Amino acid sequence: MEKYLAVRQTSAQLCGPLTVEDHSLQPMPDASPAKWHLAHTTWFFETFVLSEYVAGYRPFQTEFRTLFNSYYNAVGDRPLRTLRHILSRPGLDEVHAYRDYIDEALVHVLSADLAPEALALVTLGLNHEQQHQELIITDVKNGLWTNPLRPAYRPTPEGHETTAAAPALLLEWRSFAGGTHSIGFEGGGFKFDNEGPRHDVYVAPFQLGSRLATNAEYLEFMRDGGYSKAELWLSDGWDSVHNNQWNAPLYWERRNGEWWHYTIEGMKPLPMNEPVCHVSYYEADAFARWAAARLATEFEWEIAARSCAVRGNLLETGVLQPRAVESAQPLAQIFGDVWEWTASAYLPYPNFRPAAGAVGEYNGKFMCNQMVLRGGSCATPQSHIRATYRNFFPPHARWQFMGIRLANGN
Ligand SMILES: [Fe+2]
C-alpha cells in the first residue's frame, strides 16, 4: 500500500514543474503527452485490476477504457498513438480526479483480501508506472526542446551550477573470464517476463570499459569526421545519418563555435567529462568501431553488472542528467546515468512464454527490430532497475537517456 501510494505520488511530482499547456505536448509520435501518461498509468490499474477483480466496480468513465488504451489488442480499440495530443478533454483536472478515484478504490481493495493474481497485477502496474515516469521526463524534455525558446523544465537548483569540468578519469579495461554463464532473473521479487527463463550462455573472455564514453571522446570522433566516413557505419545507420542529417547527438547545438546541449534545466555549455547521451544505436556502434572497440552483448553486460550494487545517478538523485565519474571504481556508472546500448537484438530467451491474458502483450510482441539497452538512467527509479533488466528501443531512437560503454576482446 505504501509502495503503491509512493509510486503514484512520484508521477504527479514529476509533472509538478509543468504548465497545463506543457501537459499536452507531443513533439513526435514516439513521445506522449504528460497528461496521457498520468491517465494511461491509471487506466492500467482500472482495466487489469479493478474491472477484473473487484465485484461491482463502477468505472470512473466507461469511455476511458478505449481512450487510454495504449497497445493492448485484447482490450480493444484505442485512438491513434500519433494523435494523443488532441485529447484536450478530459482536462488535466479531470485526469487528476481520475487518478484520485482509482487510488481510493485501489487503497480500499489493497486493505481487503485481493487474489494473489490481482496483487501480482498491482505490482506489474507499479512497475509499468515507473517506466512511464521515465517517459514523462524524456518526452517532456523532447517537447520543451522542440520549442525554439528551449525552455527549462525546472530551474537549476542552487549549488548545482556547472563547475569547471575536470578531465574524465582515464578509461581502463576490466577483464572478465569466458565460459558458460547463467543469464536471466532468478530468486524472489518482481521481474518482467522478458527477463527469463534463466538459461546458460557461452561467452568468450571479454573486457568492458571502466566508465561510460564521454562527450570529449565523442567530440573527438566527430572532429575526426565520424559522421562522414561510411566505413564506420552500418548500412541502416548510414541511411539514418543522411535522411535525418545527423552530425551530432540529439540536443547538441553549436553556438559561437562552442558546443552546447539542451538539458532539463535549459541550454548549457557541453561538459566534456560527462557521459555522451542521446545517441542512437547506430551512432554508438559507429563510435565503437572508430575507437577500435565494440559494444558489449547484453550477456556480457549482465555478467559484469552482477558484481555491482544497484546504486548510482538514478531518478532519486534528482539530477535528471548523466554525471561525470567522481572517483575510480572497477565499473563506474553501470547503474544509472544512461541506458547502455548493447550489441544484442531484443529476442526471447529460450523457452520464453509471455504472461497469460492481456498483459502478455506487455513485452513479447515487441521482440523484432529493436536493440537491448541495460543499466537504467538518471530518470529510472532505483527500485525499478536490476542486472537482469532488459530495456529495448529501435536502433534509430535517441530521445531516451542513451549512451555508450565500450567493450573489447574476441
Ligand atoms: Fe504503458
Side-chain angles (χ1 to χ4, degrees), residues 36-37 40-41 43-44 70-72 128 131-132 135 362:
W36 185 87
H37 287 300
H40 163 73
T41 47
W43 166 93
F44 192 98
S70 51
Y71 55 65
Y72 294 86
H128 171 252
Q131 290 180 318
H132 280 274
L135 292 172
Y362 202 108

Side-chain angles (χ1 to χ4, degrees), residues 275-319:
V276 63
C277 187
H278 297 299
V279 288
S280 63
Y281 171 77
Y282 298 132
E283 289 161 302
D285 172 79
F287 171 81
R289 193 164 293 111
W290 169 82
R294 61 176 176 84
L295 300 177
T297 66
E298 65 167 319
F299 308 124
E300 291 169 335
W301 191 96
E302 186 171 319
I303 292 161
R306 257 180 223 156
S307 59
C308 303
V310 181
R311 51 168 186 259
N313 178 20
L314 291 146
L315 179 69
E316 286 73 9
T317 65
V319 177

Side-chain angles (χ1 to χ4, degrees), residues 247-258:
N247 57 16
L250 181 64
Y251 303 139
W252 284 31
E253 228 174 272
R254 226 171 147 73
R255 292 185 170 180
N256 300 324
E258 298 294 326

